[in-house]
Amino acid sequence: MKIALMQDTAQPLDVAGNLAMIEAAAGRSREQGAELLLTPELFPVGYAPAQIRAELSAEQVAQTRAETAAIAQRSGIAMVVSLPGVGGPEERGITAVLFSPDGEVLGEHQKVQLFGPEEKESFRPGSEAPAVIRLGGLNLGMVICYDIEFPEMARAAAAAGVEVLLVPTALAEEPRVPQLLVPARALENQMTVAYANHCGLEDGLSFDGLSVVAGPRGEILGELGAEPGLLLAEVGPRPASGEAGPWYLEDRRTELHRQWI
């Protein structure tokens, strides 16, 4: 499967402008043969947790979600888009939604690990493990931003059968995550990890960019720098371990690991 990762600068609460950027990226991705577009965390509304809580109503979120589904349908491409969850400002989380090329919801994940005081004051954490979603002959899964920095999240996805883990993110001033942790998560779980970030200045934060796709051997399949761009990469199923290993998934001793925690 050929996937595309969008990296750009959103404007907080400029939903029309942000969706226009997503639609343009979806069109370019489809023209270049991609079957799926991965967008950054909260891109349609911009990464501004306090503003989202104070100013964005449940009705506005629902409308944004419907408009995003329509973009997938018009563009004829599956899309992962991160949005505030349904419900009122005091009860919603940060979600990632996988839309089919027909605009149907194929799966959803609510961010489990909220980052920092502002996110924790503005959103509710999720509690569900990443779901397995079959698309294009592959088992896909989703986690969001800070989730990937916890080995347990990626391991839960891999143990469930996920082959390609899709990660919308909003990472500022911490390049070690895409450069070190993302390839490590891919290698230790023998799956592909695709990590799509914002870039530029939003709501006082300077985002790193550095979107990356790491393959199941920890190899870099594609990466971007600090500027806006579209990253395309071919991703596939988990390779067989073979005689040379590594056998990280097969050799787990979960009955012991559970006792130690």
Side-chain angles (χ1 to χ4, degrees), residues 40-42 47 80-83 93-97 108-115 119 130 142-150 153 165-170 195:
E41 183 181 14
L42 293 175
Y47 184 83
V80 174
V81 179
S82 175
L83 292 159
I94 298 174
T95 70
V97 184
E108 193 163 342
H109 172 74
Q110 183 172 334
K111 189 174 185 178
V112 172
Q113 314 289 162
L114 295 177
F115 180 82
E119 269 195 19
M142 297 179 289
V143 298
I144 302 171
C145 196
Y146 197 36
D147 283 340
I148 197 64
E149 299 179 42
F150 292 79
M153 294 294 299
L165 190 61
L166 305 166
V167 190
T169 194
Y195 185 87

PDB file of all heavy atoms in Angstrom, residues 40-42 47 80-83 93-97 108-115 119 130 142-150 153 165-170 195:
ATOM      1  N   PRO A  40      -1.765  15.395  10.608  1.00  0.00           N
ATOM      2  CA  PRO A  40      -1.288  15.589  11.978  1.00  0.00           C
ATOM      3  C   PRO A  40      -2.413  15.691  13.020  1.00  0.00           C
ATOM      4  O   PRO A  40      -3.592  15.856  12.695  1.00  0.00           O
ATOM      5  CB  PRO A  40      -0.508  16.913  11.899  1.00  0.00           C
ATOM      6  CG  PRO A  40      -0.137  17.056  10.459  1.00  0.00           C
ATOM      7  CD  PRO A  40      -1.308  16.478   9.710  1.00  0.00           C
ATOM      8  N   GLU A  41      -2.017  15.638  14.269  1.00  0.00           N
ATOM      9  CA  GLU A  41      -2.943  15.687  15.407  1.00  0.00           C
ATOM     10  C   GLU A  41      -3.727  17.005  15.417  1.00  0.00           C
ATOM     11  O   GLU A  41      -3.135  18.090  15.348  1.00  0.00           O
ATOM     12  CB  GLU A  41      -2.162  15.538  16.711  1.00  0.00           C
ATOM     13  CG  GLU A  41      -3.020  15.510  17.964  1.00  0.00           C
ATOM     14  CD  GLU A  41      -2.207  15.384  19.240  1.00  0.00           C
ATOM     15  OE1 GLU A  41      -0.966  15.589  19.191  1.00  0.00           O
ATOM     16  OE2 GLU A  41      -2.792  15.087  20.287  1.00  0.00           O
ATOM     17  N   LEU A  42      -5.059  16.881  15.493  1.00  0.00           N
ATOM     18  CA  LEU A  42      -5.967  18.028  15.611  1.00  0.00           C
ATOM     19  C   LEU A  42      -5.808  19.046  14.485  1.00  0.00           C
ATOM     20  O   LEU A  42      -6.160  20.217  14.642  1.00  0.00           O
ATOM     21  CB  LEU A  42      -5.797  18.725  16.972  1.00  0.00           C
ATOM     22  CG  LEU A  42      -6.239  17.931  18.213  1.00  0.00           C
ATOM     23  CD1 LEU A  42      -5.897  18.693  19.483  1.00  0.00           C
ATOM     24  CD2 LEU A  42      -7.738  17.624  18.168  1.00  0.00           C
ATOM     25  N   TYR A  47      -3.700  22.913  16.616  1.00  0.00           N
ATOM     26  CA  TYR A  47      -3.327  22.398  17.935  1.00  0.00           C
ATOM     27  C   TYR A  47      -3.310  23.552  18.937  1.00  0.00           C
ATOM     28  O   TYR A  47      -2.316  24.286  19.056  1.00  0.00           O
ATOM     29  CB  TYR A  47      -1.974  21.684  17.909  1.00  0.00           C
ATOM     30  CG  TYR A  47      -1.659  21.074  19.259  1.00  0.00           C
ATOM     31  CD1 TYR A  47      -2.175  19.840  19.609  1.00  0.00           C
ATOM     32  CD2 TYR A  47      -0.893  21.767  20.192  1.00  0.00           C
ATOM     33  CE1 TYR A  47      -1.927  19.286  20.858  1.00  0.00           C
ATOM     34  CE2 TYR A  47      -0.651  21.227  21.445  1.00  0.00           C
ATOM     35  CZ  TYR A  47      -1.168  19.990  21.768  1.00  0.00           C
ATOM     36  OH  TYR A  47      -0.925  19.458  23.011  1.00  0.00           O
ATOM     37  N   VAL A  80      -6.705   9.430   7.615  1.00  0.00           N
ATOM     38  CA  VAL A  80      -6.690   9.476   9.076  1.00  0.00           C
ATOM     39  C   VAL A  80      -6.653  10.937   9.478  1.00  0.00           C
ATOM     40  O   VAL A  80      -5.715  11.665   9.120  1.00  0.00           O
ATOM     41  CB  VAL A  80      -5.485   8.730   9.672  1.00  0.00           C
ATOM     42  CG1 VAL A  80      -5.431   8.933  11.180  1.00  0.00           C
ATOM     43  CG2 VAL A  80      -5.567   7.242   9.340  1.00  0.00           C
ATOM     44  N   VAL A  81      -7.682  11.365  10.200  1.00  0.00           N
ATOM     45  CA  VAL A  81      -7.800  12.763  10.619  1.00  0.00           C
ATOM     46  C   VAL A  81      -8.048  12.792  12.120  1.00  0.00           C
ATOM     47  O   VAL A  81      -8.879  12.046  12.644  1.00  0.00           O
ATOM     48  CB  VAL A  81      -8.944  13.472   9.867  1.00  0.00           C
ATOM     49  CG1 VAL A  81      -9.061  14.915  10.321  1.00  0.00           C
ATOM     50  CG2 VAL A  81      -8.705  13.405   8.363  1.00  0.00           C
ATOM     51  N   SER A  82      -7.315  13.638  12.824  1.00  0.00           N
ATOM     52  CA  SER A  82      -7.439  13.771  14.273  1.00  0.00           C
ATOM     53  C   SER A  82      -8.331  14.955  14.610  1.00  0.00           C
ATOM     54  O   SER A  82      -8.111  16.074  14.118  1.00  0.00           O
ATOM     55  CB  SER A  82      -6.057  13.955  14.906  1.00  0.00           C
ATOM     56  OG  SER A  82      -6.161  14.208  16.290  1.00  0.00           O
ATOM     57  N   LEU A  83      -9.349  14.699  15.447  1.00  0.00           N
ATOM     58  CA  LEU A  83     -10.356  15.701  15.792  1.00  0.00           C
ATOM     59  C   LEU A  83     -10.676  15.628  17.280  1.00  0.00           C
ATOM     60  O   LEU A  83     -10.480  14.581  17.907  1.00  0.00           O
ATOM     61  CB  LEU A  83     -11.648  15.437  15.015  1.00  0.00           C
ATOM     62  CG  LEU A  83     -11.628  15.634  13.506  1.00  0.00           C
ATOM     63  CD1 LEU A  83     -12.761  14.864  12.865  1.00  0.00           C
ATOM     64  CD2 LEU A  83     -11.724  17.121  13.186  1.00  0.00           C
ATOM     65  N   GLY A  93     -12.393  13.704  24.208  1.00  0.00           N
ATOM     66  CA  GLY A  93     -10.970  13.454  24.135  1.00  0.00           C
ATOM     67  C   GLY A  93     -10.409  13.935  22.811  1.00  0.00           C
ATOM     68  O   GLY A  93     -11.055  14.647  22.044  1.00  0.00           O
ATOM     69  N   ILE A  94      -9.165  13.532  22.558  1.00  0.00           N
ATOM     70  CA  ILE A  94      -8.535  13.747  21.254  1.00  0.00           C
ATOM     71  C   ILE A  94      -8.636  12.428  20.499  1.00  0.00           C
ATOM     72  O   ILE A  94      -8.222  11.385  21.016  1.00  0.00           O
ATOM     73  CB  ILE A  94      -7.056  14.159  21.403  1.00  0.00           C
ATOM     74  CG1 ILE A  94      -6.937  15.483  22.169  1.00  0.00           C
ATOM     75  CG2 ILE A  94      -6.395  14.281  20.041  1.00  0.00           C
ATOM     76  CD1 ILE A  94      -5.510  15.882  22.494  1.00  0.00           C
ATOM     77  N   THR A  95      -9.181  12.452  19.309  1.00  0.00           N
ATOM     78  CA  THR A  95      -9.391  11.218  18.569  1.00  0.00           C
ATOM     79  C   THR A  95      -8.623  11.223  17.250  1.00  0.00           C
ATOM     80  O   THR A  95      -8.225  12.271  16.737  1.00  0.00           O
ATOM     81  CB  THR A  95     -10.884  10.991  18.254  1.00  0.00           C
ATOM     82  OG1 THR A  95     -11.318  11.945  17.290  1.00  0.00           O
ATOM     83  CG2 THR A  95     -11.736  11.097  19.511  1.00  0.00           C
ATOM     84  N   ALA A  96      -8.432  10.019  16.732  1.00  0.00           N
ATOM     85  CA  ALA A  96      -7.997   9.821  15.347  1.00  0.00           C
ATOM     86  C   ALA A  96      -9.062   8.972  14.682  1.00  0.00           C
ATOM     87  O   ALA A  96      -9.461   7.934  15.215  1.00  0.00           O
ATOM     88  CB  ALA A  96      -6.647   9.129  15.299  1.00  0.00           C
ATOM     89  N   VAL A  97      -9.547   9.415  13.537  1.00  0.00           N
ATOM     90  CA  VAL A  97     -10.614   8.726  12.819  1.00  0.00           C
ATOM     91  C   VAL A  97     -10.085   8.297  11.453  1.00  0.00           C
ATOM     92  O   VAL A  97      -9.487   9.114  10.739  1.00  0.00           O
ATOM     93  CB  VAL A  97     -11.849   9.635  12.639  1.00  0.00           C
ATOM     94  CG1 VAL A  97     -12.985   8.859  11.978  1.00  0.00           C
ATOM     95  CG2 VAL A  97     -12.298  10.218  13.976  1.00  0.00           C
ATOM     96  N   GLU A 108     -11.652   4.199  14.951  1.00  0.00           N
ATOM     97  CA  GLU A 108     -11.394   5.416  15.733  1.00  0.00           C
ATOM     98  C   GLU A 108     -10.555   5.056  16.953  1.00  0.00           C
ATOM     99  O   GLU A 108     -10.670   3.950  17.494  1.00  0.00           O
ATOM    100  CB  GLU A 108     -12.727   6.027  16.154  1.00  0.00           C
ATOM    101  CG  GLU A 108     -12.630   7.437  16.688  1.00  0.00           C
ATOM    102  CD  GLU A 108     -13.981   8.155  16.698  1.00  0.00           C
ATOM    103  OE1 GLU A 108     -14.907   7.695  15.985  1.00  0.00           O
ATOM    104  OE2 GLU A 108     -14.103   9.160  17.417  1.00  0.00           O
ATOM    105  N   HIS A 109      -9.695   5.975  17.360  1.00  0.00           N
ATOM    106  CA  HIS A 109      -8.897   5.797  18.573  1.00  0.00           C
ATOM    107  C   HIS A 109      -8.949   7.087  19.382  1.00  0.00           C
ATOM    108  O   HIS A 109      -8.845   8.183  18.819  1.00  0.00           O
ATOM    109  CB  HIS A 109      -7.437   5.470  18.221  1.00  0.00           C
ATOM    110  CG  HIS A 109      -6.517   5.452  19.403  1.00  0.00           C
ATOM    111  ND1 HIS A 109      -6.521   4.431  20.334  1.00  0.00           N
ATOM    112  CD2 HIS A 109      -5.574   6.341  19.826  1.00  0.00           C
ATOM    113  CE1 HIS A 109      -5.608   4.681  21.258  1.00  0.00           C
ATOM    114  NE2 HIS A 109      -5.027   5.839  20.978  1.00  0.00           N
ATOM    115  N   GLN A 110      -9.100   6.966  20.690  1.00  0.00           N
ATOM    116  CA  GLN A 110      -9.031   8.132  21.580  1.00  0.00           C
ATOM    117  C   GLN A 110      -7.705   8.114  22.310  1.00  0.00           C
ATOM    118  O   GLN A 110      -7.325   7.097  22.905  1.00  0.00           O
ATOM    119  CB  GLN A 110     -10.183   8.123  22.588  1.00  0.00           C
ATOM    120  CG  GLN A 110     -10.187   9.370  23.480  1.00  0.00           C
ATOM    121  CD  GLN A 110     -11.426   9.469  24.340  1.00  0.00           C
ATOM    122  OE1 GLN A 110     -12.482   8.937  24.005  1.00  0.00           O
ATOM    123  NE2 GLN A 110     -11.325  10.159  25.467  1.00  0.00           N
ATOM    124  N   LYS A 111      -7.000   9.218  22.255  1.00  0.00           N
ATOM    125  CA  LYS A 111      -5.664   9.334  22.842  1.00  0.00           C
ATOM    126  C   LYS A 111      -5.681   8.921  24.310  1.00  0.00           C
ATOM    127  O   LYS A 111      -6.461   9.447  25.108  1.00  0.00           O
ATOM    128  CB  LYS A 111      -5.177  10.781  22.695  1.00  0.00           C
ATOM    129  CG  LYS A 111      -3.733  11.016  23.070  1.00  0.00           C
ATOM    130  CD  LYS A 111      -3.338  12.448  22.738  1.00  0.00           C
ATOM    131  CE  LYS A 111      -1.863  12.725  22.971  1.00  0.00           C
ATOM    132  NZ  LYS A 111      -1.499  14.108  22.594  1.00  0.00           N
ATOM    133  N   VAL A 112      -4.802   8.004  24.654  1.00  0.00           N
ATOM    134  CA  VAL A 112      -4.749   7.444  26.008  1.00  0.00           C
ATOM    135  C   VAL A 112      -3.832   8.260  26.901  1.00  0.00           C
ATOM    136  O   VAL A 112      -4.134   8.531  28.066  1.00  0.00           O
ATOM    137  CB  VAL A 112      -4.294   5.971  25.948  1.00  0.00           C
ATOM    138  CG1 VAL A 112      -4.045   5.415  27.343  1.00  0.00           C
ATOM    139  CG2 VAL A 112      -5.332   5.124  25.213  1.00  0.00           C
ATOM    140  N   GLN A 113      -2.688   8.641  26.376  1.00  0.00           N
ATOM    141  CA  GLN A 113      -1.677   9.365  27.160  1.00  0.00           C
ATOM    142  C   GLN A 113      -1.737  10.847  26.800  1.00  0.00           C
ATOM    143  O   GLN A 113      -1.211  11.264  25.766  1.00  0.00           O
ATOM    144  CB  GLN A 113      -0.276   8.823  26.838  1.00  0.00           C
ATOM    145  CG  GLN A 113      -0.152   7.316  26.816  1.00  0.00           C
ATOM    146  CD  GLN A 113      -0.233   6.685  28.179  1.00  0.00           C
ATOM    147  OE1 GLN A 113      -0.471   5.496  28.296  1.00  0.00           O
ATOM    148  NE2 GLN A 113      -0.033   7.470  29.214  1.00  0.00           N
ATOM    149  N   LEU A 114      -2.396  11.649  27.616  1.00  0.00           N
ATOM    150  CA  LEU A 114      -2.451  13.090  27.382  1.00  0.00           C
ATOM    151  C   LEU A 114      -1.157  13.744  27.845  1.00  0.00           C
ATOM    152  O   LEU A 114      -0.599  13.390  28.892  1.00  0.00           O
ATOM    153  CB  LEU A 114      -3.645  13.707  28.107  1.00  0.00           C
ATOM    154  CG  LEU A 114      -5.025  13.243  27.613  1.00  0.00           C
ATOM    155  CD1 LEU A 114      -6.114  13.876  28.454  1.00  0.00           C
ATOM    156  CD2 LEU A 114      -5.233  13.554  26.134  1.00  0.00           C
ATOM    157  N   PHE A 115      -0.699  14.735  27.074  1.00  0.00           N
ATOM    158  CA  PHE A 115       0.602  15.345  27.343  1.00  0.00           C
ATOM    159  C   PHE A 115       0.445  16.713  28.008  1.00  0.00           C
ATOM    160  O   PHE A 115      -0.171  17.623  27.452  1.00  0.00           O
ATOM    161  CB  PHE A 115       1.381  15.515  26.038  1.00  0.00           C
ATOM    162  CG  PHE A 115       2.735  16.148  26.232  1.00  0.00           C
ATOM    163  CD1 PHE A 115       3.809  15.384  26.637  1.00  0.00           C
ATOM    164  CD2 PHE A 115       2.914  17.504  26.023  1.00  0.00           C
ATOM    165  CE1 PHE A 115       5.059  15.958  26.823  1.00  0.00           C
ATOM    166  CE2 PHE A 115       4.154  18.099  26.209  1.00  0.00           C
ATOM    167  CZ  PHE A 115       5.225  17.320  26.617  1.00  0.00           C
ATOM    168  N   GLU A 119      -3.231  19.933  27.877  1.00  0.00           N
ATOM    169  CA  GLU A 119      -4.033  18.838  27.307  1.00  0.00           C
ATOM    170  C   GLU A 119      -4.893  18.183  28.377  1.00  0.00           C
ATOM    171  O   GLU A 119      -6.066  17.872  28.144  1.00  0.00           O
ATOM    172  CB  GLU A 119      -3.125  17.780  26.673  1.00  0.00           C
ATOM    173  CG  GLU A 119      -2.837  18.018  25.218  1.00  0.00           C
ATOM    174  CD  GLU A 119      -2.261  16.806  24.516  1.00  0.00           C
ATOM    175  OE1 GLU A 119      -2.399  15.668  25.023  1.00  0.00           O
ATOM    176  OE2 GLU A 119      -1.646  16.986  23.449  1.00  0.00           O
ATOM    177  N   PRO A 130      -5.494   0.147  20.928  1.00  0.00           N
ATOM    178  CA  PRO A 130      -5.671   0.429  19.497  1.00  0.00           C
ATOM    179  C   PRO A 130      -6.428  -0.703  18.800  1.00  0.00           C
ATOM    180  O   PRO A 130      -6.125  -1.884  18.997  1.00  0.00           O
ATOM    181  CB  PRO A 130      -4.231   0.518  18.975  1.00  0.00           C
ATOM    182  CG  PRO A 130      -3.406   0.827  20.173  1.00  0.00           C
ATOM    183  CD  PRO A 130      -4.078   0.155  21.324  1.00  0.00           C
ATOM    184  N   MET A 142      -4.112   2.748  14.989  1.00  0.00           N
ATOM    185  CA  MET A 142      -3.838   4.166  15.233  1.00  0.00           C
ATOM    186  C   MET A 142      -3.535   4.405  16.706  1.00  0.00           C
ATOM    187  O   MET A 142      -4.187   3.825  17.584  1.00  0.00           O
ATOM    188  CB  MET A 142      -5.056   5.014  14.848  1.00  0.00           C
ATOM    189  CG  MET A 142      -5.429   4.947  13.379  1.00  0.00           C
ATOM    190  SD  MET A 142      -6.898   5.952  12.979  1.00  0.00           S
ATOM    191  CE  MET A 142      -8.201   4.993  13.772  1.00  0.00           C
ATOM    192  N   VAL A 143      -2.544   5.241  16.962  1.00  0.00           N
ATOM    193  CA  VAL A 143      -2.348   5.875  18.264  1.00  0.00           C
ATOM    194  C   VAL A 143      -2.077   7.350  17.974  1.00  0.00           C
ATOM    195  O   VAL A 143      -1.921   7.743  16.812  1.00  0.00           O
ATOM    196  CB  VAL A 143      -1.199   5.241  19.083  1.00  0.00           C
ATOM    197  CG1 VAL A 143      -1.496   3.781  19.382  1.00  0.00           C
ATOM    198  CG2 VAL A 143       0.143   5.380  18.375  1.00  0.00           C
ATOM    199  N   ILE A 144      -2.007   8.177  19.004  1.00  0.00           N
ATOM    200  CA  ILE A 144      -1.891   9.618  18.787  1.00  0.00           C
ATOM    201  C   ILE A 144      -0.724  10.190  19.586  1.00  0.00           C
ATOM    202  O   ILE A 144      -0.666  10.059  20.814  1.00  0.00           O
ATOM    203  CB  ILE A 144      -3.200  10.337  19.180  1.00  0.00           C
ATOM    204  CG1 ILE A 144      -4.381   9.783  18.380  1.00  0.00           C
ATOM    205  CG2 ILE A 144      -3.070  11.848  18.966  1.00  0.00           C
ATOM    206  CD1 ILE A 144      -5.738  10.282  18.846  1.00  0.00           C
ATOM    207  N   CYS A 145       0.212  10.797  18.892  1.00  0.00           N
ATOM    208  CA  CYS A 145       1.283  11.615  19.457  1.00  0.00           C
ATOM    209  C   CYS A 145       1.976  10.959  20.654  1.00  0.00           C
ATOM    210  O   CYS A 145       2.711   9.983  20.491  1.00  0.00           O
ATOM    211  CB  CYS A 145       0.742  13.001  19.804  1.00  0.00           C
ATOM    212  SG  CYS A 145       2.035  14.254  20.071  1.00  0.00           S
ATOM    213  N   TYR A 146       1.737  11.448  21.851  1.00  0.00           N
ATOM    214  CA  TYR A 146       2.414  10.986  23.066  1.00  0.00           C
ATOM    215  C   TYR A 146       2.234   9.489  23.293  1.00  0.00           C
ATOM    216  O   TYR A 146       3.096   8.845  23.908  1.00  0.00           O
ATOM    217  CB  TYR A 146       1.855  11.784  24.243  1.00  0.00           C
ATOM    218  CG  TYR A 146       2.648  11.774  25.523  1.00  0.00           C
ATOM    219  CD1 TYR A 146       4.033  11.767  25.541  1.00  0.00           C
ATOM    220  CD2 TYR A 146       1.983  11.845  26.755  1.00  0.00           C
ATOM    221  CE1 TYR A 146       4.742  11.794  26.740  1.00  0.00           C
ATOM    222  CE2 TYR A 146       2.674  11.877  27.947  1.00  0.00           C
ATOM    223  CZ  TYR A 146       4.048  11.847  27.942  1.00  0.00           C
ATOM    224  OH  TYR A 146       4.732  11.882  29.132  1.00  0.00           O
ATOM    225  N   ASP A 147       1.141   8.919  22.778  1.00  0.00           N
ATOM    226  CA  ASP A 147       0.922   7.479  22.915  1.00  0.00           C
ATOM    227  C   ASP A 147       2.126   6.669  22.443  1.00  0.00           C
ATOM    228  O   ASP A 147       2.487   5.657  23.048  1.00  0.00           O
ATOM    229  CB  ASP A 147      -0.293   7.030  22.086  1.00  0.00           C
ATOM    230  CG  ASP A 147      -1.638   7.368  22.702  1.00  0.00           C
ATOM    231  OD1 ASP A 147      -1.706   7.616  23.918  1.00  0.00           O
ATOM    232  OD2 ASP A 147      -2.636   7.363  21.945  1.00  0.00           O
ATOM    233  N   ILE A 148       2.749   7.078  21.320  1.00  0.00           N
ATOM    234  CA  ILE A 148       3.816   6.275  20.732  1.00  0.00           C
ATOM    235  C   ILE A 148       5.066   6.289  21.594  1.00  0.00           C
ATOM    236  O   ILE A 148       5.952   5.437  21.438  1.00  0.00           O
ATOM    237  CB  ILE A 148       4.131   6.759  19.292  1.00  0.00           C
ATOM    238  CG1 ILE A 148       4.936   5.704  18.511  1.00  0.00           C
ATOM    239  CG2 ILE A 148       4.874   8.082  19.306  1.00  0.00           C
ATOM    240  CD1 ILE A 148       4.227   4.409  18.268  1.00  0.00           C
ATOM    241  N   GLU A 149       5.162   7.226  22.525  1.00  0.00           N
ATOM    242  CA  GLU A 149       6.323   7.297  23.399  1.00  0.00           C
ATOM    243  C   GLU A 149       6.248   6.302  24.552  1.00  0.00           C
ATOM    244  O   GLU A 149       7.187   6.202  25.354  1.00  0.00           O
ATOM    245  CB  GLU A 149       6.494   8.731  23.908  1.00  0.00           C
ATOM    246  CG  GLU A 149       6.723   9.723  22.762  1.00  0.00           C
ATOM    247  CD  GLU A 149       6.867  11.157  23.226  1.00  0.00           C
ATOM    248  OE1 GLU A 149       7.556  11.381  24.252  1.00  0.00           O
ATOM    249  OE2 GLU A 149       6.281  12.059  22.579  1.00  0.00           O
ATOM    250  N   PHE A 150       5.157   5.565  24.630  1.00  0.00           N
ATOM    251  CA  PHE A 150       4.978   4.515  25.641  1.00  0.00           C
ATOM    252  C   PHE A 150       5.058   3.163  24.939  1.00  0.00           C
ATOM    253  O   PHE A 150       4.206   2.845  24.102  1.00  0.00           O
ATOM    254  CB  PHE A 150       3.632   4.682  26.356  1.00  0.00           C
ATOM    255  CG  PHE A 150       3.586   5.906  27.222  1.00  0.00           C
ATOM    256  CD1 PHE A 150       3.374   7.161  26.661  1.00  0.00           C
ATOM    257  CD2 PHE A 150       3.785   5.810  28.590  1.00  0.00           C
ATOM    258  CE1 PHE A 150       3.353   8.301  27.452  1.00  0.00           C
ATOM    259  CE2 PHE A 150       3.765   6.952  29.391  1.00  0.00           C
ATOM    260  CZ  PHE A 150       3.561   8.192  28.827  1.00  0.00           C
ATOM    261  N   MET A 153       1.877   0.915  24.331  1.00  0.00           N
ATOM    262  CA  MET A 153       0.859   1.231  23.341  1.00  0.00           C
ATOM    263  C   MET A 153       1.159   0.547  22.007  1.00  0.00           C
ATOM    264  O   MET A 153       0.298  -0.098  21.403  1.00  0.00           O
ATOM    265  CB  MET A 153       0.763   2.742  23.145  1.00  0.00           C
ATOM    266  CG  MET A 153       0.261   3.502  24.360  1.00  0.00           C
ATOM    267  SD  MET A 153      -1.457   3.141  24.795  1.00  0.00           S
ATOM    268  CE  MET A 153      -2.324   3.677  23.322  1.00  0.00           C
ATOM    269  N   LEU A 165       1.155   1.055  11.911  1.00  0.00           N
ATOM    270  CA  LEU A 165       0.615   1.901  12.973  1.00  0.00           C
ATOM    271  C   LEU A 165       0.686   3.350  12.516  1.00  0.00           C
ATOM    272  O   LEU A 165       1.770   3.861  12.191  1.00  0.00           O
ATOM    273  CB  LEU A 165       1.409   1.706  14.265  1.00  0.00           C
ATOM    274  CG  LEU A 165       0.838   2.343  15.529  1.00  0.00           C
ATOM    275  CD1 LEU A 165      -0.541   1.770  15.860  1.00  0.00           C
ATOM    276  CD2 LEU A 165       1.790   2.135  16.707  1.00  0.00           C
ATOM    277  N   LEU A 166      -0.446   4.028  12.497  1.00  0.00           N
ATOM    278  CA  LEU A 166      -0.580   5.384  11.985  1.00  0.00           C
ATOM    279  C   LEU A 166      -0.674   6.353  13.161  1.00  0.00           C
ATOM    280  O   LEU A 166      -1.530   6.187  14.035  1.00  0.00           O
ATOM    281  CB  LEU A 166      -1.826   5.480  11.106  1.00  0.00           C
ATOM    282  CG  LEU A 166      -1.856   4.457   9.956  1.00  0.00           C
ATOM    283  CD1 LEU A 166      -3.247   4.378   9.346  1.00  0.00           C
ATOM    284  CD2 LEU A 166      -0.813   4.800   8.894  1.00  0.00           C
ATOM    285  N   VAL A 167       0.190   7.372  13.163  1.00  0.00           N
ATOM    286  CA  VAL A 167       0.338   8.240  14.336  1.00  0.00           C
ATOM    287  C   VAL A 167       0.216   9.708  13.945  1.00  0.00           C
ATOM    288  O   VAL A 167       1.186  10.328  13.504  1.00  0.00           O
ATOM    289  CB  VAL A 167       1.699   8.005  15.031  1.00  0.00           C
ATOM    290  CG1 VAL A 167       1.725   8.725  16.392  1.00  0.00           C
ATOM    291  CG2 VAL A 167       2.005   6.524  15.202  1.00  0.00           C
ATOM    292  N   PRO A 168      -0.972  10.315  14.091  1.00  0.00           N
ATOM    293  CA  PRO A 168      -1.054  11.775  13.984  1.00  0.00           C
ATOM    294  C   PRO A 168      -0.399  12.397  15.222  1.00  0.00           C
ATOM    295  O   PRO A 168      -0.633  11.941  16.349  1.00  0.00           O
ATOM    296  CB  PRO A 168      -2.561  12.058  13.981  1.00  0.00           C
ATOM    297  CG  PRO A 168      -3.241  10.725  13.952  1.00  0.00           C
ATOM    298  CD  PRO A 168      -2.264   9.713  14.428  1.00  0.00           C
ATOM    299  N   THR A 169       0.400  13.428  15.016  1.00  0.00           N
ATOM    300  CA  THR A 169       1.121  13.987  16.160  1.00  0.00           C
ATOM    301  C   THR A 169       1.211  15.506  16.079  1.00  0.00           C
ATOM    302  O   THR A 169       1.001  16.110  15.036  1.00  0.00           O
ATOM    303  CB  THR A 169       2.536  13.365  16.261  1.00  0.00           C
ATOM    304  OG1 THR A 169       3.103  13.652  17.544  1.00  0.00           O
ATOM    305  CG2 THR A 169       3.449  13.895  15.192  1.00  0.00           C
ATOM    306  N   ALA A 170       1.513  16.111  17.234  1.00  0.00           N
ATOM    307  CA  ALA A 170       1.785  17.547  17.326  1.00  0.00           C
ATOM    308  C   ALA A 170       2.985  17.693  18.260  1.00  0.00           C
ATOM    309  O   ALA A 170       2.829  17.883  19.462  1.00  0.00           O
ATOM    310  CB  ALA A 170       0.576  18.310  17.855  1.00  0.00           C
ATOM    311  N   TYR A 195       4.386   8.522  11.130  1.00  0.00           N
ATOM    312  CA  TYR A 195       4.290   9.567  12.156  1.00  0.00           C
ATOM    313  C   TYR A 195       4.218  10.921  11.449  1.00  0.00           C
ATOM    314  O   TYR A 195       5.196  11.376  10.847  1.00  0.00           O
ATOM    315  CB  TYR A 195       5.546   9.450  13.023  1.00  0.00           C
ATOM    316  CG  TYR A 195       5.672  10.335  14.224  1.00  0.00           C
ATOM    317  CD1 TYR A 195       5.145   9.963  15.459  1.00  0.00           C
ATOM    318  CD2 TYR A 195       6.398  11.518  14.157  1.00  0.00           C
ATOM    319  CE1 TYR A 195       5.324  10.750  16.583  1.00  0.00           C
ATOM    320  CE2 TYR A 195       6.581  12.312  15.279  1.00  0.00           C
ATOM    321  CZ  TYR A 195       6.040  11.916  16.486  1.00  0.00           C
ATOM    322  OH  TYR A 195       6.223  12.694  17.612  1.00  0.00           O
TER     323      TYR A 195
END
